[in-house]
Amino acid sequence: MRARPGVLVSLLFALAPAPGGAQALQNATLRRAQQAYENLEYRQALSLGRSALRERLAGGERARAYELVGFSYAALDSILKSVDAFKQVVLIDPERQLDPNRVSPKAYSAFDVALRQVLLVRQLRIDSTGFVAGQGAVPIRFMVTQPARVVTRAIGQRNFLVDSSAWNGQVNLGWSPRLPNGDPVPAGTYTIVVEARLGQNTFSASQQIRVLHGTVDTLPHLTSLPGYQYLPETEIPPQTWRPLGLAFLYTGGAAIGTLGLESGSLGASSQRELAVAGAAALVTGLVMTLRKPAPRPAEGNILYNRLLTEQIARRNADIAKENVTRRQQVQLTVVPLKSGAPR
């Protein structure tokens, strides 16, 4: 069976978040109005909601009562009256939002029209941030619902003008917290006040922040450069067979001399001495060949190490100069506090 359009519309309004549903309502009339709305009895909900507004209500319940009236008027197709009711809601609670996925298109449209017909400063946000004084700014974000002259100030031990311009819609500003002489503002609590003015209508919102002072970290001195390292200043020469070759040369010469003199006047004892000398030369040559060569200076590495040392010294001199500047700087940390109430 196909559902009738009127039933579908009623179901859409029933799904809309009724004011006060998340918290218990103190006013009995307002509780009855909400119950009637939840039961799709929109005319009774409207009557009881208007009756509740004539009673003493706290700010939160008054906003809920107007919201309930706005939803009821929208359900009854009284869009202009719904807009008027939603105007009162946003004047009491400028941060109020409706979820377009949970409310009827009529109610959402009426709420949107109400926002654009009332001068408001909404969604004032200041995020936590940190920067070196003079090298950053405090981000300030807010929304203005109508074209208006907007003046933004930071009020603390002294008052600072952040911006004065005509704005509409989303606004993003930055406050550089510095004194006229360039020094950072004193540490302490400041209130960012955004005031919008359109003709005789004015509206302002505020957010408190705390400004903290800190020291800027200095740079450590370098003992090495990334990607570079000192090289050994001595090196072991490669193994050589030259001593053994010389020994063979000397031994061969001695042997030739011995053979040449066999018919001469040398006796057997002299020949033995020559043989011993040749054998000693061979042994000495072999020992010198197998012996590990002595280290020698590596001229190329010594020059490289000298250049690397000079480079590190120059970098450390630059770091020392920069640290002198860093010790004179101030690290600013900005922390938002509990939002101030709109005025």
Side-chain angles (χ1 to χ4, degrees):
M1 182 177 64
R2 180 177 300 178
R4 290 178 298 173
V7 175
L8 291 176
V9 172
S10 298
L11 290 174
L12 281 174
F13 279 101
L15 292 175
Q23 299 178 358
L25 298 174
Q26 300 298 321
N27 184 272
T29 306
L30 188 55
R31 287 200 303 270
R32 291 167 55 202
Q34 179 174 307
Q35 186 61 49
Y37 179 85
E38 293 173 354
N39 293 335
L40 308 184
E41 300 172 354
Y42 301 125
R43 294 191 181 279
Q44 184 178 0
L46 176 61
S47 177
L48 291 170
R50 296 173 63 181
S51 297
L53 288 171
R54 291 192 290 268
E55 302 177 11
R56 294 178 61 88
L57 297 175
E61 289 198 340
R62 181 164 294 275
R64 293 170 188 169
Y66 275 116
E67 190 174 57
L68 180 59
V69 169
F71 275 114
S72 299
Y73 272 129
L76 297 173
D77 292 328
S78 297
I79 302 302
L80 293 179
K81 293 182 178 180
S82 178
V83 169
D84 290 338
F86 283 133
K87 286 181 183 179
Q88 300 302 318
V89 173
V90 296
L91 286 174
I92 298 172
D93 182 8
E95 300 301 315
R96 183 70 173 103
Q97 297 275 23
L98 293 185
D99 186 350
N101 297 319
R102 299 188 58 191
V103 302
S104 71
K106 289 183 180 180
Y108 187 81
S109 297
F111 184 84
D112 186 60
V113 171
L115 275 179
R116 289 185 279 109
Q117 290 186 1
V118 178
L119 178 61
L120 296 174
V121 176
R122 310 178 72 223
Q123 302 173 7
L124 174 59
R125 299 290 183 269
I126 301 174
D127 299 326
S128 298
T129 186
F131 51 86
V132 176
Q135 301 181 17
V138 180
I140 303 173
R141 297 177 289 118
F142 56 88
M143 178 180 291
V144 183
T145 56
Q146 288 186 334
R149 169 64 61 176
V150 182
V151 179
T152 305
R153 294 185 177 88
I155 301 175
Q157 299 179 17
R158 296 177 59 177
N159 295 345
F160 302 91
L161 177 64
V162 177
D163 183 79
S164 178
S165 305
W167 294 105
N168 182 32
Q170 184 66 44
V171 181
N172 295 282
L173 301 176
W175 173 44
S176 180
R178 303 176 67 183
L179 298 173
N181 62 1
D183 292 339
V185 299
T189 301
Y190 293 81
T191 303
I192 304 298
V193 178
V194 180
E195 183 178 40
R197 181 179 297 275
L198 178 62
Q200 299 299 318
N201 298 323
T202 61
F203 190 91
S204 67
S206 63
Q207 167 72 62
Q208 280 193 325
I209 60 173
R210 178 170 293 135
V211 177
L212 305 174
H213 283 190
T215 58
V216 177
D217 293 336
T218 56
L219 299 175
H221 283 271
L222 300 177
T223 58
S224 63
L225 293 179
Y228 298 89
Q229 58 184 355
Y230 286 101
L231 300 177
E233 296 191 351
T234 59
E235 60 182 1
I236 304 298
Q239 204 85 17
T240 177
W241 292 95
R242 188 170 181 272
L244 185 58
L246 291 175
F248 275 110
L249 179 64
Y250 296 150
T251 303
I256 292 172
T258 301
L259 293 175
L261 295 175
E262 282 183 350
S263 60
S265 58
L266 290 177
S269 60
S270 297
Q271 294 178 5
R272 286 195 299 270
E273 290 175 358
L274 287 173
V276 170
L282 288 174
V283 171
T284 302
L286 181 60
V287 171
M288 293 298 294
T289 299
L290 297 178
R291 183 181 177 184
K292 185 179 180 180
R296 66 184 182 187
E299 298 298 334
N301 291 358
I302 293 174
L303 178 59
Y304 172 86
N305 290 344
R306 184 182 303 124
L307 294 176
L308 182 58
T309 300
E310 293 174 356
Q311 181 65 21
I312 292 176
R314 284 194 293 267
R315 293 285 298 274
N316 281 332
D318 294 338
I319 288 174
K321 293 179 182 179
E322 184 173 350
N323 283 342
V324 171
T325 303
R326 283 173 171 255
R327 293 187 185 97
Q328 298 171 350
Q329 294 175 331
V330 177
Q331 176 74 25
L332 297 181
T333 302
V334 179
V335 181
L337 303 178
K338 184 178 179 181
S339 300
R343 296 193 300 272

